[in-house]
Amino acid sequence: MLTIKNKFFGVLLCLVIAIPAWFLGKWMPIIGAPVFAIFIGMLIGMVHLNRDQTGSGIAFTSKYILQVAVVLLGFGLNLSQVMKVGLSSLPIIISTITIALLVAYILQKALKMDVNTATLVGVGSSICGGSAIAATAPAIDAKDDEVAKAISVIFLFNILAALIFPTLGDMIGLSNEGFAIFSGTAVNDTSSVTATATSWDAIHQSNTLEGATIVKLTRTLAIIPITFGLSFYRAYKASKEGDVSEQNFSLKQAFPTFILYFLLASVVTTLASAIGLDMAVFEQFKFLSKFFIVMAMAAIGLNTNIVKLVKTGGQAIGVGTACWIAVTAVSLLMQAVLGFW
């Protein structure tokens, strides 16, 4: 009971921030509720300095509610549908993920920036924006300011993609199918993929939205191997470097359990769809997932120094720019090679 009481006010504060952020995100989907939650949280955090009553709950929200959100995200994935429709785009997805992670790794070494920020920007650029960052952060034990930095960078390129890509697609002569694959592989968050594809459809009177969304969901599956691999590598490296907390390294300890639950949730959705169950309940889980991510971002915002974020964000923006350009170029190049364009 005491533990619940200690966390109550901090969780409540995150909830209070998440509600207006949610509605602002609905009003301006190109920005998205998680970004609003982070910045509202940072503004409140500048004046909310006494954390005696809220500190424990804020920490709980930024870590454990975030993990619950990732698990619930699995209920939005019907694996059979994703694999059936997304299989044709798989070589492009693998190529874009590989190039983004490679660019992030090279620039992290060259710029000597912190590993966690570069990793989060890399996975956010390559897999699925905020959701990938949300899944990866607990696996690599990222700090709140590192998560906020990565989310802010992804937000910047989400807006640029939604504004630029429909015109770019027209200029280079992409087909409707080609643009669906392009937006699904080269735009980060699902909301931004939706905005980009919708803009294209409004211009061309087409229906690329469904295809772009399925390509995007196929990318989301990469959360599983990437998060597992990063968690495994981090634990293994710590054990080799003599970290006392990690000296008894094992595969079981390295595995991020919440990712297993994410996969199980996806399997449940797939089986339920296969036997014809009403899928309405899973829509509620998806809603909760999205809202819990917004709550977690509010907590991360509360724990982030906005002045420090602005001062130290230059390198992250540089890595994000390089990843974004590389992903865009590789997506178009692979389409040309495979004959989609």
Side-chain angles (χ1 to χ4, degrees), residues 47-210:
V47 295
H48 178 54
L49 302 178
N50 186 347
R51 305 288 177 95
D52 291 344
Q53 288 188 309
T54 60
S56 178
I58 292 170
F60 176 82
T61 303
S62 69
K63 183 174 182 180
Y64 294 105
I65 288 184
L66 183 58
Q67 292 184 14
V68 171
V70 174
V71 172
L72 293 175
L73 185 68
F75 288 107
L77 287 173
N78 183 325
L79 299 178
S80 61
Q81 182 187 26
V82 165
M83 293 309 294
K84 180 181 177 181
V85 182
L87 197 59
S88 61
S89 62
L90 200 57
I92 302 173
I93 292 170
I94 293 173
S95 299
T96 53
I97 290 173
T98 302
I99 192 64
L101 295 177
L102 186 60
V103 167
Y105 175 79
I106 291 171
L107 289 181
Q108 184 272 322
K109 294 293 185 183
L111 299 174
K112 294 182 173 57
M113 65 184 293
D114 64 273
V115 175
N116 282 353
T117 299
T119 301
L120 293 174
V121 172
V123 297
S125 300
S126 62
I127 302 175
C128 55
S131 298
I133 292 170
T136 305
I140 63 173
D141 199 24
K143 298 175 183 176
D144 285 347
D145 64 321
E146 293 166 342
V147 176
K149 207 179 296 181
I151 289 282
S152 301
V153 169
I154 296 303
F155 147 71
L156 171 63
F157 293 105
N158 280 340
I159 291 180
L160 288 176
L163 294 175
I164 294 171
F165 280 6
T167 302
L168 175 62
D170 259 340
M171 288 174 62
I172 61 179
L174 283 179
S175 65
N176 290 331
E177 181 187 10
F179 190 80
I181 294 173
F182 178 47
S183 56
T185 53
V187 185
N188 300 319
D189 283 313
T190 302
S191 59
S192 300
V193 171
T194 301
T196 306
T198 301
S199 297
W200 176 271
D201 287 342
I203 296 169
H204 296 272
Q205 302 301 307
S206 57
N207 186 25
T208 65
L209 178 57
E210 182 178 351

Side-chain angles (χ1 to χ4, degrees), residues 246-258:
E246 303 283 358
Q247 279 189 2
N248 296 319
F249 170 77
S250 71
L251 186 64
K252 182 179 178 181
Q253 290 173 331
F255 192 87
T257 308
F258 70 97

Side-chain angles (χ1 to χ4, degrees), residues 9 21 42 47 113 131 141 181 195 213 221 241 257 299 312 318 324 326 334 340:
F9 290 107
M42 285 193 292
V47 295
M113 65 184 293
S131 298
D141 199 24
I181 294 173
T213 303
L221 290 175
E241 292 176 353
T257 308
T312 62
W324 186 60
M334 287 296 295
F340 289 105

Side-chain angles (χ1 to χ4, degrees), residues 161-293:
L163 294 175
I164 294 171
F165 280 6
T167 302
L168 175 62
D170 259 340
M171 288 174 62
I172 61 179
L174 283 179
S175 65
N176 290 331
E177 181 187 10
F179 190 80
I181 294 173
F182 178 47
S183 56
T185 53
V187 185
N188 300 319
D189 283 313
T190 302
S191 59
S192 300
V193 171
T194 301
T196 306
T198 301
S199 297
W200 176 271
D201 287 342
I203 296 169
H204 296 272
Q205 302 301 307
S206 57
N207 186 25
T208 65
L209 178 57
E210 182 178 351
T213 303
I214 291 176
V215 172
K216 171 65 175 62
L217 291 177
T218 306
R219 279 171 69 196
T220 303
L221 290 175
I223 285 176
I224 299 167
I226 293 295
T227 306
F228 171 64
L230 288 170
S231 181
F232 179 88
Y233 176 74
R234 176 179 172 273
Y236 177 77
K237 186 178 179 182
S239 70
K240 289 298 183 182
E241 292 176 353
D243 189 327
V244 175
S245 64
E246 303 283 358
Q247 279 189 2
N248 296 319
F249 170 77
S250 71
L251 186 64
K252 182 179 178 181
Q253 290 173 331
F255 192 87
T257 308
F258 70 97
I259 291 297
L260 174 62
Y261 295 142
F262 166 87
L263 180 58
L264 289 175
S266 303
V267 171
V268 169
T269 303
T270 304
L271 293 176
S273 176
I275 62 177
L277 292 182
D278 185 2
M279 304 300 289
V281 64
F282 297 111
E283 292 297 323
Q284 302 306 314
F285 288 142
K286 286 164 60 179
F287 167 80
L288 280 176
S289 169
K290 293 176 183 178
F291 189 78
F292 283 167
I293 285 177

